[in-house]
Amino acid sequence: MANGSEIIRLVAGRQDRDQFRRKNWVGTFEQYLDIVRENPKVTRTAYQRLYDMILSYGVEKQSVGRESVNHYRFFDDPHGGGKDAVFGLRSALNQLVNALKSAAKGYGIERRVLLLHGPVGSSKSTIARLLKKGLERYSAEDDGALYAIGWTDEDDPTNAEATQWCPMNEEPLHLIPTRFRPDVEAELNAGAPADAHDEEAFRVRIEGTLCPYCRFNYQSRLKKYDGDWTRVAQDVRVKRVILSEKDRVGIGTFQPKDEKNQDATELTGDINYRKIAEYGSDSDPRAFNFDGEFNVANRGIIEFVEVLKLDVAFLYDLLGASQEHRIKPKKFAQTDIDEVILGHTNEPEYRRLQSNEFMEALRDRTVKIDIPYVTTLSNEIKIYDKDYNNETVRGKHIAPHTVEMAAMWAVLTRLEEPKNAGLTRLQKLKLYNGKTLPGFTEENINELREQATTEGMIGISPRYVQDKLSNALVAHPESRSVNPFMVLNELEAGLKHHSLLNDEEQKQEYRELLQVVKEEYENIVKNEVQRAIAADEEALMRLCGNYIDNVKAYTQREKVKNAFTGQYEEPDERLMRSVEEKIDIPDSRKDDFRREIMNYIGALMIDGKRFDYKSNERLHKALELKLFEDQKDSIKLTSLVSNVVDAETQQKIDVVKGRLIKNYGYDEESATDVLQYVASIFARGDVKKDS
């Protein structure tokens, strides 16, 4: 075990002081202009920087049916180990990134509030948190560098510690007078690609004016130097800026409070009354705290939590900030800002916005992006797997299908009842999850999604499921494992006092869906136990060889040699049908199925490959079910229910239990539980014919 000095040496050996110096660079305005010539992207707008940050993580093309959509790796949260990863919302995330792209190119979206709208617990806050963290990291990298302006102390210009930095971290190029900007832009863009259609081309554009504080410094020095702008520029210092929510640099968050405690100065800053005596006026920018959330978020992003709960008085600031990119601090003129304005809201508040005529101006200035619940089972499972798995949960084993069944129920509550009379909600869930069903094409599945107008905007929140998973983990201290029934019981018990569910009919519907999930779980575990019993490799190979020999003889109109008597006999029709019936091959289709098997084997032989029954899914399933039927009586699984088991039977049961542990992820306790559960089903005579 390392001692204190060794730990300090470990850290010392890994620190990067060159990187520290780059992040804390301070230089002159002239040096900054050289940086801009070398890397014009340091002057990007907030929208451009945010969009580039997302792209910096890479983009994958993924097929969804016949369409190809972008998968942005940024939303996998690679830096956070996937803790804030967003699953199953490709369409919504594509819409968000497209809006940012449009804003980055100046097509008009940059003058709108981006409004994430969806039910509670649908990842709105997670997406906002990801964007803020991403900007923090990106600004600390060379590719995401940005710089802010400052002013030397007039009494001691050589004292770097006395430099007065812009409280809004604004772009240093704002120092360039408006009438000179076209010529300066031309110089800075000299050598840049001239093709206006080249998406990779970036051209410096100087937009915006100095904030009141910097404008005061600029004018006082311009007067001091008798209008010599070059002397003013010599008094300017430029520093590298690292965005940080904790340090309130470039990232702001505003959360509405009750009306009595809300104050517009929280957004645009307030007078510093202690400094009025020093500077003699409440309109002196040196006596003003530019620390409102809009001021703080300049050059980065501001998040409005539950934005539609804002008091109407705040909306004027928000409207000006979005449409004009300006705010109005008390006692000062309109002040330019450059930041992404991101808000999020739930459905009740959004309905209030639609019905409130006083909010019409805000409605006109928002781009609504729906963030629904996940409606694909595999993605819903990923949400819970992050926190509830056998690595993160200590001292408790999570039995197979525990998280899956909870996720299945959650997704079922979010789906609309299919209009197709021959389709159940569970089958619809399976279609959405990629399973094929006879008679349903990809086009049919897209039609199902289009017909459903509220899917993903209704149903149970992932938070509710997470709470009940947590309850199940602590509610059974005597048990070493947690199984699906424990969680499903918690989910059902919680419905009675669910804070967001007041409709008794809806609660009853959700209880009925829990029963659907329990029946599906019963089918899954019966199938697993059957496969564990039939997982005797040698017995399966013997059965397969016997079946193939008989099929070959049948299709070629030959006889089969009896291995015991040595006599040639007719193919064993009873054996062949006992296998084929397990996968619902009717008597009228048996010849086609047998020829299909032989053609498959023949094609493999032409390619120089050997036939393996595992490569043919339907035949593999049929053989397992046949072997299970042959062996289940010898194992006497039903004797588990009576707790009277002889030594030979116990040995066979232990073999099956071992297969469940090895092949399916059970532990000793959960394997015993599932065997007893399935045994009770068999004891009722409920033998599974098909999975």
Side-chain angles (χ1 to χ4, degrees):
M1 183 178 292
N3 58 31
S5 62
E6 289 173 331
I7 292 173
I8 289 174
R9 282 199 299 272
L10 173 69
V11 174
R14 296 184 181 181
Q15 63 185 353
D16 188 340
R17 297 181 68 186
D18 288 336
Q19 184 185 52
F20 176 82
R21 293 186 189 101
R22 287 197 301 274
K23 289 180 180 179
N24 290 273
W25 179 88
V26 176
T28 64
F29 185 67
E30 184 179 337
Q31 289 173 318
Y32 177 66
L33 291 174
D34 291 335
I35 290 173
V36 174
R37 282 297 302 269
E38 185 178 337
N39 180 17
K41 286 191 173 184
V42 299
T43 66
R44 284 171 293 187
T45 66
Y47 277 101
Q48 289 169 336
R49 186 171 289 104
L50 183 62
Y51 177 64
D52 286 348
M53 180 274 292
I54 293 172
L55 294 188
S56 71
Y57 287 80
V59 187
E60 295 175 4
K61 287 288 185 183
Q62 293 186 347
S63 296
V64 179
R66 296 176 183 176
E67 297 182 2
S68 180
V69 297
N70 289 330
H71 171 74
Y72 295 94
R73 293 197 191 104
F74 167 74
F75 294 103
D76 296 335
D77 189 23
H79 276 289
K83 183 181 179 182
D84 278 337
V86 179
F87 301 110
L89 297 178
R90 273 181 304 206
S91 177
L93 295 177
N94 270 262
Q95 189 181 350
L96 172 61
V97 176
N98 286 341
L100 292 174
K101 180 178 181 180
S102 177
K105 293 184 176 298
Y107 294 159
I109 300 292
E110 72 279 7
R111 300 193 179 277
R112 303 289 181 268
V113 176
L114 297 180
L115 181 64
L116 305 182
H117 160 258
V120 294
S122 64
S123 299
K124 302 183 297 295
S125 298
T126 301
I127 292 169
R129 186 164 59 249
L130 271 174
L131 293 173
K132 292 191 292 185
K133 285 182 178 178
L135 266 182
E136 286 182 338
R137 285 189 296 267
Y138 190 58
S139 69
E141 298 171 3
D142 292 343
D143 288 344
L146 69 154
Y147 297 82
I149 192 172
W151 305 87
T152 59
D153 186 88
E154 291 191 83
D155 298 326
D156 188 6
T158 60
N159 183 358
E161 296 297 323
T163 302
Q164 301 153 10
W165 296 107
C166 172
M168 293 177 61
N169 296 303
E170 66 180 306
E171 166 59 52
L173 291 182
H174 288 178
L175 184 70
I176 307 289
T178 304
R179 66 182 185 276
F180 300 140
R181 288 183 180 183
D183 294 333
V184 173
E185 287 176 357
E187 286 294 327
L188 292 174
N189 290 319
D195 185 1
H197 300 290
D198 185 355
E199 289 207 359
E200 297 300 316
F202 179 83
R203 302 180 71 80
V204 175
R205 293 181 63 189
I206 307 173
E207 296 180 330
T209 57
L210 293 169
C211 75
Y213 180 82
C214 291
R215 184 175 178 81
F216 176 87
N217 276 283
Y218 175 80
Q219 289 179 332
S220 66
R221 290 164 200 256
L222 196 61
K223 186 175 182 180
K224 173 183 176 182
Y225 297 130
D226 194 26
D228 187 347
W229 181 87
T230 58
R231 293 286 303 278
V232 175
Q234 290 173 10
D235 278 3
V236 168
R237 293 294 177 266
V238 177
K239 70 173 181 177
R240 173 89 178 266
V241 175
I242 307 298
L243 304 185
S244 168
E245 183 172 22
K246 289 181 179 178
D247 296 330
R248 303 191 76 218
V249 177
I251 296 176
T253 303
F254 186 79
Q255 189 163 358
K257 305 176 182 67
D258 63 87
E259 292 183 13
K260 292 180 180 178
N261 293 321
Q262 285 193 130
D263 188 344
T265 59
E266 292 183 49
L267 286 176
T268 56
D270 198 7
I271 296 169
N272 187 332
Y273 292 97
R274 287 186 300 176
K275 289 190 176 182
I276 292 176
E278 181 181 348
Y279 296 113
S281 170
D282 61 359
S283 60
D284 189 313
R286 294 171 296 177
F288 193 88
N289 292 331
F290 292 90
D291 59 357
E293 293 303 321
F294 275 132
N295 309 103
V296 164
N298 194 42
R299 311 294 302 283
I301 185 171
I302 182 170
E303 175 195 5
F304 279 90
V305 180
E306 300 295 346
V307 62
L308 298 185
K309 289 182 179 177
L310 275 175
D311 185 76
V312 175
F314 281 76
L315 294 180
Y316 297 107
D317 289 316
L318 182 57
L319 294 178
S322 61
Q323 181 67 31
E324 306 298 332
H325 283 198
R326 288 179 178 175
I327 57 174
K328 177 67 174 67
K330 189 187 297 184
K331 300 283 184 177
F332 295 102
Q334 296 274 0
T335 301
D336 289 326
I337 58 171
D338 168 30
E339 57 200 71
V340 177
I341 302 176
L342 181 73
H344 47 88
T345 188
N346 297 325
E347 182 63 22
E349 281 74 33
Y350 187 72
R351 285 200 298 268
R352 187 165 65 90
L353 169 69
Q354 290 178 306
S355 61
N356 189 341
E357 62 183 33
F358 297 107
M359 296 277 201
E360 185 177 347
L362 180 61
R363 287 202 302 271
D364 192 47
R365 289 170 173 82
T366 57
V367 173
K368 181 170 75 79
I369 299 168
D370 285 334
I371 308 294
Y373 289 137
V374 171
T375 55
T376 50
L377 178 60
S378 58
N379 285 314
E380 185 73 7
I381 291 171
K382 290 176 185 176
I383 293 173
Y384 310 124
D385 266 344
K386 290 188 297 183
D387 300 315
Y388 304 99
N389 58 67
N390 286 318
E391 290 184 5
T392 57
V393 176
R394 302 292 181 182
K396 285 273 189 182
H397 180 268
I398 300 177
H401 311 298
T402 300
V403 168
E404 179 188 352
M405 293 302 104
M408 180 179 289
W409 177 70
V411 173
L412 283 172
T413 67
R414 302 166 190 166
L415 301 183
E416 293 181 11
E417 199 65 39
K419 294 179 181 178
N420 186 326
L423 189 69
T424 67
R425 205 185 296 197
L426 180 61
Q427 288 173 319
K428 188 181 190 182
L429 176 145
K430 291 180 178 180
L431 285 172
Y432 282 6
N433 203 44
K435 186 172 181 179
T436 56
L437 290 178
F440 285 91
T441 63
E442 193 67 42
E443 191 174 330
N444 297 141
I445 298 170
N446 289 335
E447 286 175 4
L448 284 173
R449 290 189 182 276
E450 288 169 5
Q451 289 170 1
T453 56
T454 62
E455 278 186 351
M457 304 303 282
I458 57 172
I460 287 292
S461 160
R463 289 181 192 147
Y464 177 78
V465 177
Q466 288 166 332
D467 290 345
K468 301 312 168 188
L469 280 165
S470 299
N471 287 355
L473 285 167
V474 299
H476 304 276
E478 74 288 348
S479 177
R480 294 193 305 275
S481 65
V482 130
N483 63 51
F485 281 111
M486 293 176 182
V487 175
L488 294 175
N489 290 339
E490 286 285 344
L491 291 170
E492 184 169 7
L495 288 176
K496 185 176 181 181
H497 304 291
H498 196 297
S499 59
L500 299 178
L501 285 178
N502 300 315
D503 188 339
E504 287 302 320
E505 286 187 14
Q506 192 175 48
K507 289 182 181 181
Q508 184 56 35
E509 177 191 334
Y510 288 176
R511 291 188 188 100
E512 290 169 1
L513 290 175
L514 279 167
Q515 190 56 41
V516 170
V517 172
K518 288 176 182 178
E519 290 171 4
E520 180 66 10
Y521 175 65
E522 184 176 297
N523 290 335
I524 290 170
V525 291
K526 282 196 295 187
N527 182 51
E528 282 185 349
V529 170
Q530 287 175 350
R531 296 185 74 171
I533 290 172
D536 186 334
E537 197 77 23
E538 291 183 6
L540 275 172
M541 290 180 67
R542 285 196 302 272
L543 177 60
C544 179
N546 199 2
Y547 174 75
I548 295 298
D549 286 344
N550 279 276
V551 168
K552 180 181 177 183
Y554 177 84
T555 56
Q556 296 181 358
R557 303 183 185 280
E558 297 175 351
K559 292 187 176 182
V560 182
K561 185 177 182 180
N562 188 308
F564 182 69
T565 65
Q567 300 296 313
Y568 283 89
E569 301 171 350
E570 292 295 327
D572 190 340
E573 182 66 21
R574 186 175 177 182
L575 168 69
M576 291 186 287
R577 289 303 294 147
S578 67
V579 171
E580 292 155 0
E581 285 170 352
K582 296 293 177 289
I583 50 173
D584 294 332
I585 303 295
D587 196 67
S588 60
R589 283 268 301 122
K590 66 181 183 183
D591 287 6
D592 292 338
F593 180 74
R594 292 169 188 176
R595 280 193 292 269
E596 181 185 317
I597 291 293
M598 293 314 299
N599 289 339
Y600 177 69
I601 294 172
L604 287 174
M605 291 179 66
I606 292 172
D607 292 337
K609 299 176 183 177
R610 292 190 62 183
F611 172 70
D612 182 351
Y613 66 88
K614 293 177 184 175
S615 63
N616 189 299
E617 188 177 342
R618 294 179 76 198
L619 181 59
H620 188 186
K621 180 179 176 182
L623 293 170
E624 283 186 332
L625 290 172
K626 166 62 177 168
L627 188 61
F628 168 74
E629 186 177 81
D630 293 344
Q631 292 190 354
K632 67 180 175 65
D633 292 333
S634 68
I635 291 179
K636 300 176 185 175
L637 195 60
T638 53
S639 62
L640 272 174
V641 181
S642 65
N643 292 323
V644 180
V645 184
D646 59 71
E648 183 181 354
T649 301
Q650 184 62 54
Q651 187 177 6
K652 292 178 180 178
I653 288 172
D654 288 342
V655 170
V656 174
K657 192 187 295 183
R659 290 171 184 163
L660 286 171
I661 293 170
K662 180 182 178 182
N663 300 332
Y664 296 97
Y666 291 88
D667 68 345
E668 179 74 24
E669 183 178 80
S670 58
T672 301
D673 288 344
V674 81
L675 276 173
Q676 289 183 329
Y677 174 60
V678 173
S680 69
I681 297 171
F682 290 141
R684 297 196 305 264
D686 186 13
V687 181
K688 186 178 181 343
K689 294 181 179 178
D690 194 7
S691 60

